[in-house]
Amino acid sequence: MSIKIYCDAGSNLYPAILKTKNADINVFPMNVVVDNKTYRCYEDNIDVEAFSKEFYESLNPRKKNVHTSLVSVGEYQKAFSEEVDKGNQVVCFTLAKGISGTYNAARLAADAINESAGKEVVHIVNSATAGLGEGMQALRAYEDVKAGKGFEEVVKNAEDFVFKVRSEFTVDDIVYLSNTGRVSPLVAKIANILRIKVMLKGSNESEITLTKKVHGRKTALKNLSTTCLEKIKDKNSKVYITHCNCVEDANSVKEDLIAGGINDIEIYPYDLVTGAHVGPGTVAIFYVGENRD
């Protein structure tokens, strides 16, 4: 019997990243549709840098119609059933239930399989975040599996780790959040006129919340590094930075972190599933802190 780790495409775990980390994690693909053109994330082993650049450039002009698809209950149930039929157990991480219906879909599939088995053989973890915040949780659980830990211990560690992962980001153009209904069009217009940038984070309520407003892009980027330096639990631990086609800005944040004593930093393109809703120019940072308060 083996324990298999699953997550959805909102985890930012491209096949190329998993290959680099030698991590046997299964990622449920999700669709992103931009003006009727469908991008399948991350079913194929793509050139991440090139694909991401093409994708985020495709979001301009910002009035384009963008929507994403959920992983269906049927997709979850098929994959989970195949694992259980092989004698395996499953721990599956999903996007925050406050921003996506994937958690509920996975939960329904797991409940049906667990009821049939008469015990829990599939456990669903609400990552309460997105992007590499979810990805970090899946990677850590995989390390537990490689270390030979049992199902109950892997599950307990996964749930205990959820709110230790901090996820913070800033957007370059607030209109993308306006298009998703997170801020009003009027607020977005005023913010852009006054050059106000918003700082956001994944909250304890599994939602995206506003933490502060600052003036100017440079101040916003500086705030990301400053917050990380204040809140990180261990400066020797891994920090991930992701960006929506603005690698120079991601490198600027990295340089500030290095100056502050953090050196284990990896930069990747921002996941396309949630990136479609925050827009080009978004920079995010993910790391382990004591909690999300």
Side-chain angles (χ1 to χ4, degrees), residues 18 152 291:
L18 291 173
E152 291 184 359
N291 54 56

Side-chain angles (χ1 to χ4, degrees), residues 185-226:
L186 179 60
V187 169
K189 183 176 181 179
I190 293 172
N192 279 332
I193 290 173
L194 298 179
R195 296 182 65 247
I196 293 172
K197 302 298 181 182
V198 292
M199 308 306 300
L200 306 116
K201 72 171 184 177
S203 74
N204 288 339
E205 289 72 39
S206 299
E207 298 174 342
I208 295 172
T209 58
L210 174 70
T211 58
K212 66 172 66 175
K213 302 170 187 175
V214 299
H215 286 279
R217 176 71 166 176
K218 289 184 178 180
T219 305
L221 296 173
K222 189 72 175 178
N223 190 268
L224 285 177
S225 57
T226 299

Side-chain angles (χ1 to χ4, degrees), residues 251-263:
N251 280 321
S252 174
V253 176
K254 179 180 178 179
E255 289 170 6
D256 285 343
L257 293 177
I258 291 173
I262 298 173
N263 292 291

Side-chain angles (χ1 to χ4, degrees), residues 50-293:
F51 186 69
S52 177
K53 187 174 188 298
E54 173 196 345
F55 176 77
Y56 285 114
E57 286 178 350
S58 78
L59 294 184
N60 289 313
R62 59 192 184 183
K63 291 184 179 180
K64 286 193 173 183
N65 181 31
V66 178
H67 66 272
T68 55
S69 68
L70 305 177
V71 182
S72 70
V73 176
E75 289 175 292
Y76 277 125
Q77 193 155 3
K78 180 177 183 296
F80 296 160
S81 294
E82 289 175 353
E83 295 290 1
V84 172
D85 287 345
K86 295 175 185 176
N88 297 330
Q89 296 163 304
V90 176
V91 180
C92 178
F93 297 82
T94 73
L95 282 167
K97 65 180 181 180
I99 63 173
S100 172
T102 55
Y103 171 80
N104 288 332
R107 179 76 268 163
L108 287 170
D111 285 349
I113 292 170
N114 290 336
E115 183 177 356
S116 178
K119 60 180 180 180
E120 185 177 57
V121 290
V122 179
H123 184 85
I124 309 301
V125 180
N126 164 32
S127 75
T129 183
L132 274 167
E134 177 188 344
M136 285 177 68
Q137 295 175 40
L139 287 166
R140 187 179 186 278
Y142 179 69
E143 291 301 315
D144 275 354
V145 172
K146 284 205 304 181
K149 295 179 180 178
F151 183 67
E152 291 184 359
E153 187 175 6
V154 173
V155 166
K156 181 181 185 304
N157 289 346
E159 293 289 358
D160 289 346
F161 190 56
V162 169
F163 293 108
K164 294 177 182 176
V165 175
R166 295 184 63 95
S167 309
E168 288 134 12
F169 66 102
T170 187
V171 300
D172 189 42
D173 191 337
I174 198 173
V175 75
Y176 291 93
L177 286 172
S178 172
N179 290 341
T180 66
R182 298 200 178 276
V183 296
S184 73
L186 179 60
V187 169
K189 183 176 181 179
I190 293 172
N192 279 332
I193 290 173
L194 298 179
R195 296 182 65 247
I196 293 172
K197 302 298 181 182
V198 292
M199 308 306 300
L200 306 116
K201 72 171 184 177
S203 74
N204 288 339
E205 289 72 39
S206 299
E207 298 174 342
I208 295 172
T209 58
L210 174 70
T211 58
K212 66 172 66 175
K213 302 170 187 175
V214 299
H215 286 279
R217 176 71 166 176
K218 289 184 178 180
T219 305
L221 296 173
K222 189 72 175 178
N223 190 268
L224 285 177
S225 57
T226 299
T227 302
C228 178
L229 289 166
E230 290 176 351
K231 303 294 185 179
I232 195 167
K233 183 177 181 181
D234 178 4
K235 287 188 176 182
N236 293 314
S237 63
K238 179 83 70 182
V239 174
Y240 292 101
I241 301 172
T242 59
H243 65 93
C244 296
N245 199 28
C246 53
V247 68
E248 295 86 0
D249 290 336
N251 280 321
S252 174
V253 176
K254 179 180 178 179
E255 289 170 6
D256 285 343
L257 293 177
I258 291 173
I262 298 173
N263 292 291
D264 191 0
I265 304 165
E266 295 181 15
I267 297 178
Y268 296 105
Y270 197 107
D271 90 85
L272 310 185
V273 177
T274 58
H277 299 293
V278 293
T282 296
V283 179
I285 190 166
F286 307 92
Y287 58 97
V288 177
E290 291 295 343
N291 54 56
R292 294 192 190 176
D293 291 337

